Amino acid sequence: MSFTVAVKEEILSQHHLSRHELSAIIKMSGSIGLSSSGLTLSVITENAKLARHLYESFLYFYGIKSEIRHHQRSNLRKNRVYTVFTDERVQELLADLRLADSFLVWRLGLIQIF
């Protein structure tokens, strides 16, 4: 077991839900999309327990029922990859976690560099 997996397992074993933790995970592994119905949020992880934790956090804090999708990687490691996906109230979630500006500024920063 790698160090990062061990740390994630230890944090998740504490059985608590935190908005700060949710915010950090989304900032590190989340991506925003745009669909015909509005904004979408996807968080990608290789850890099944973390995917379940994200699902439970979305449901507990915001009443959002997200989807957990998975697929098998086709490279040498062949790990299963989980995507926690939601298109419900994403703008409200990002505003509450104070992430809306950080995603926008980061995107604008990339545009300005090029």
Side-chain angles (χ1 to χ4, degrees):
M1 180 183 310
S2 71
F3 175 73
T4 55
V5 171
V7 169
K8 286 176 187 176
E9 297 283 331
E10 183 177 338
I11 290 171
L12 294 174
S13 69
Q14 295 176 4
H15 301 295
H16 74 283
L17 299 174
S18 166
R19 288 180 193 226
H20 299 293
E21 181 182 272
L22 180 60
S23 177
I25 293 169
I26 292 172
K27 192 165 186 173
M28 295 299 295
S29 303
S31 62
I32 303 287
L34 189 60
S35 71
S36 60
S37 62
L39 291 176
T40 63
L41 175 65
S42 300
V43 184
I44 299 172
T45 181
E46 292 181 0
N47 190 313
K49 289 181 181 180
L50 181 58
R52 184 174 185 78
H53 182 75
L54 287 167
Y55 177 87
E56 291 171 354
S57 295
F58 288 154
L59 189 59
Y60 179 76
F61 290 120
Y62 302 102
I64 295 173
K65 289 190 177 181
S66 54
E67 284 180 49
I68 298 179
R69 302 172 179 173
H70 65 85
H71 71 277
Q72 197 77 22
R73 275 205 178 145
S74 59
N75 63 359
L76 295 174
R77 290 177 38 189
K78 297 192 179 191
N79 293 347
R80 185 171 281 188
V81 178
Y82 300 91
T83 303
V84 182
F85 175 83
T86 188
D87 58 358
E88 294 180 30
R89 300 172 29 217
V90 173
Q91 192 168 1
E92 177 188 333
L93 182 143
L94 294 176
D96 184 56
L97 295 175
R98 299 188 176 147
L99 292 175
D101 292 339
S102 66
F103 275 106
L104 181 62
V105 169
W106 183 73
R107 295 288 183 214
L108 290 175
L110 282 178
I111 292 169
Q112 290 173 357
I113 291 171
F114 293 106

